Amino acid sequence: MDKNLVVGAGFSGAVIANLIAEKLGEKVLVIDKKEHIAGNSYDYTDENGIKIHKYGSHIFHTNSEKVWSYFKKFGDLNTYMHRVIAVIDGIETTIPFNLNTLYDVFPETLAKRLEEKLLKSFEYNKKVPILEFQKQADADLKFLAQYVYEKVFLHYTNKQWGTSPEDVDGAVTARVPVYISCDDRYFQDKYQGIPTCGYTRVVEKMLKHPNIEVKLNTDYKVVKGDFKRIFYTGSIDEFFDYKFGMLPYRSVNFKLELHNHPYYQSNAVVNYPCNYDFTRIHEYKYYLNDISEKTVIAKEYSEAFELGKNERYYPIPKDENIELYNKYLEEAKKLENVYFLGRLGDYKYYNMDQAIGRAIELFEEVCQ
Ligand code: FAD
Ligand code: UDP
């Protein structure tokens, strides 16, 4: 009985399976209920030669040397650095709201005055979460804070989470801070890029090992047999048959459109905080500079997760949800040789590098 079971073939499952197969030389069965590997990071090349990120734009970024060197073993990355354009009152500007943004949206004299006041009040390069940025005494900065809150965060957050910025965990909106800097990139991590072979291929290489067997279209519920260890990257409440109630998630609906001209918009991602019902539009050909006379975009609509209707995308970090998750975690601790990980298993808003880092750490903790 030296076989391991890994439930889920996203990054969390693929990394732990790869390490067990490679470093321990043990057998691993990896199952996924979807018809493909790579979980939410899945991408594919369409008939126009455009690499589509099926579940929305995925940009790899990390400050972790360990995660970066591990990831690179499975594929080269380009030097793409992500920028996000937001349309504010019809004007295209970059977010996070930064010093350049001031000059895009305000008359020059006002922008200059605000910039000077910001530089007096905050250290250069400081990232200020919007909920903290609102605590301003100066009248001009108060005006600016209200402007950013209303034009960037309020409506977008309502669309994305179905609630106002005050009612989502501060860490969520802090992902896109007000940035006292001229750096207009979305991420400041040392390492960033898109794997030139695509994410699916990276995961495929992680799983390509004589000790690993992959079964798709296979739900955990139908798997029989004894396993030395089980690593579960599905939703922890589902594992326990929702005995304490269901963990809430947000889901997303991506509406793809094919356009018969080379480009649709000026950037890979354009956010529409205040307009329309979708939050953002992705145009995929930018990531790997795919050459095509056509282009594919996806409009992203956020909605509540409903079992049987749509998929789980985002855990909702909120006190009452964490409390519920902790009840499941206590149950999990009672089990022998069953481990939970990943965005769904840990109920944490992980980026890919964090999911990979967590899988590596769990392997080191449990298997070494
Ligand atoms: P998942 O990828 O969700 O994989 C879990 C797998 O388990 C799934 O394939 C599922 O089918 C399977 N599964 C679940 N239950 C069962 C069961 N009972 N039986 C069998 N199989 C099961 N991260 C970044 O770093 N950069 C980005 O730009 C970025 N953009 C994102 C955009 C969106 C819209 C979303 C939703 C996420 C984004 N992420 C991004 C986060 C990234 O998708 C996650 O960090 C990553 O997918 C986590 O991998 P995972 O393996 O934990 O989970
Ligand atoms: N956000 C916002 N306006 C924007 C971009 C982000 O209000 O134009 C808020 C929103 O609440 C969002 C959060 O910041 O959910 C995190 O944004 P991020 O782009 O990191 O979300 P993800 O890419 O994970 O969906």
Side-chain angles (χ1 to χ4, degrees):
M1 213 245 300
D2 69 344
K3 197 172 190 175
N4 298 268
L5 175 67
V6 172
V7 180
F11 269 113
S12 301
V15 168
I16 201 113
N18 170 267
L19 292 172
I20 292 171
E22 183 76 29
K23 298 212 187 262
L24 301 184
E26 293 179 10
K27 300 267 181 219
V28 191
L29 170 63
V30 179
I31 58 158
D32 202 298
K33 61 182 175 187
K34 290 196 173 118
E35 70 285 359
H36 60 70
I37 58 167
N40 273 351
S41 310
Y42 174 74
D43 56 14
Y44 63 93
T45 304
D46 77 354
E47 61 279 15
N48 303 298
I50 300 169
K51 186 74 88 185
I52 311 290
H53 296 188
K54 181 168 180 187
Y55 304 95
S57 290
H58 274 67
I59 296 96
F60 189 81
H61 58 101
T62 192
N63 278 320
S64 162
E65 300 287 341
K66 196 174 185 176
V67 169
W68 177 247
S69 58
Y70 178 77
F71 191 96
K72 275 199 316 172
K73 290 202 292 183
F74 306 97
D76 293 330
L77 291 96
N78 65 11
T79 53
Y80 175 85
M81 291 200 185
H82 196 45
R83 285 181 171 75
V84 171
I85 300 263
V87 179
I88 298 177
D89 294 342
I91 299 166
E92 286 200 354
T93 186
T94 48
I95 51 159
F97 201 98
N98 60 80
L99 297 179
N100 300 315
T101 320
L102 292 171
Y103 290 88
D104 288 336
V105 299
F106 296 126
E108 200 176 335
T109 45
L110 177 57
K112 188 135 195 57
R113 191 161 87 227
L114 292 168
E115 182 180 30
E116 281 168 6
K117 288 196 171 183
L118 284 174
L119 290 171
K120 268 195 197 139
S121 302
F122 298 96
E123 261 175 55
Y124 189 69
N125 269 342
K126 178 134 173 79
K127 292 181 171 171
V128 193
I130 183 62
L131 298 178
E132 191 186 318
F133 192 66
Q134 283 178 299
K135 297 172 193 156
Q136 303 283 352
D138 178 89
D140 280 339
L141 293 186
K142 226 185 191 118
F143 153 79
L144 177 62
Q146 185 51 33
Y147 179 92
V148 178
Y149 175 80
E150 158 89 27
K151 302 288 184 186
V152 178
F153 288 95
L154 179 61
H155 307 292
Y156 189 105
T157 302
N158 256 311
K159 285 191 263 186
Q160 171 70 23
W161 299 98
T163 183
S164 70
E166 293 76 25
D167 291 330
V168 294
D169 188 290
V172 172
T173 45
R175 287 167 62 91
V176 187
V178 175
Y179 193 22
I180 314 298
S181 175
C182 291
D183 181 348
D184 62 1
R185 294 169 305 164
Y186 212 55
F187 310 114
Q188 276 68 45
D189 301 56
K190 178 169 176 188
Y191 302 112
Q192 339 195 352
I194 309 287
T196 52
C197 60
Y199 291 101
T200 306
R201 183 86 182 106
V202 168
V203 172
E204 194 177 289
K205 286 190 196 162
M206 288 175 174
L207 294 171
K208 194 171 165 48
H209 193 283
N211 290 336
I212 299 179
E213 183 192 356
V214 179
K215 278 191 186 164
L216 297 176
N217 301 305
T218 305
D219 197 297
Y220 173 65
K221 287 190 196 89
V222 304
V223 175
K224 305 249 179 316
D226 290 330
F227 296 94
K228 183 173 180 181
R229 308 181 196 88
I230 296 176
F231 294 92
Y232 193 87
T233 75
S235 196
I236 189 167
D237 55 346
E238 185 175 311
F239 181 92
F240 290 107
D241 290 324
Y242 310 107
K243 65 196 271 191
F244 302 124
M246 273 181 84
L247 283 167
Y249 285 88
R250 290 298 284 177
S251 189
V252 190
N253 183 0
F254 291 98
K255 291 198 176 145
L256 283 189
E257 291 176 14
L258 174 67
H259 289 265
N260 284 320
H261 39 84
Y263 286 96
Y264 178 87
Q265 60 189 23
S266 59
N267 195 53
V269 175
V270 178
N271 285 12
Y272 289 86
C274 299
N275 297 100
Y276 311 114
D277 296 332
F278 48 81
T279 49
R280 49 189 173 185
I281 301 182
H282 308 257
E283 186 168 9
Y284 293 117
K285 68 193 310 190
Y286 280 103
Y287 292 121
L288 294 173
N289 280 325
D290 296 325
I291 306 297
S292 171
E293 285 308 304
K294 300 182 181 179
T295 192
V296 174
I297 62 153
K299 290 181 177 155
E300 180 173 343
Y301 295 84
S302 190
E303 56 193 27
F305 164 70
E306 286 177 50
L307 195 60
K309 180 188 157 203
N310 52 21
E311 297 270 335
R312 298 174 172 97
Y313 280 77
Y314 294 89
I316 306 178
K318 235 181 167 183
D319 288 349
E320 68 222 55
N321 302 345
I322 304 306
E323 246 169 63
L324 179 55
Y325 162 73
N326 282 336
K327 283 191 185 172
Y328 285 114
L329 189 60
E330 286 310 310
E331 287 298 287
K333 283 182 191 158
K334 293 179 196 158
L335 300 172
E336 250 180 69
N337 300 322
V338 181
Y339 306 95
F340 293 83
L341 69 159
R343 238 194 195 204
L344 309 175
D346 286 337
Y347 198 64
K348 290 215 171 68
Y349 194 156
Y350 289 141
N351 293 325
M352 288 180 284
D353 66 321
Q354 295 169 311
I356 292 168
R358 158 77 171 136
I360 295 174
E361 267 169 31
L362 184 65
F363 170 77
E364 288 168 352
E365 190 187 309
V366 170
C367 304
Q368 285 188 331

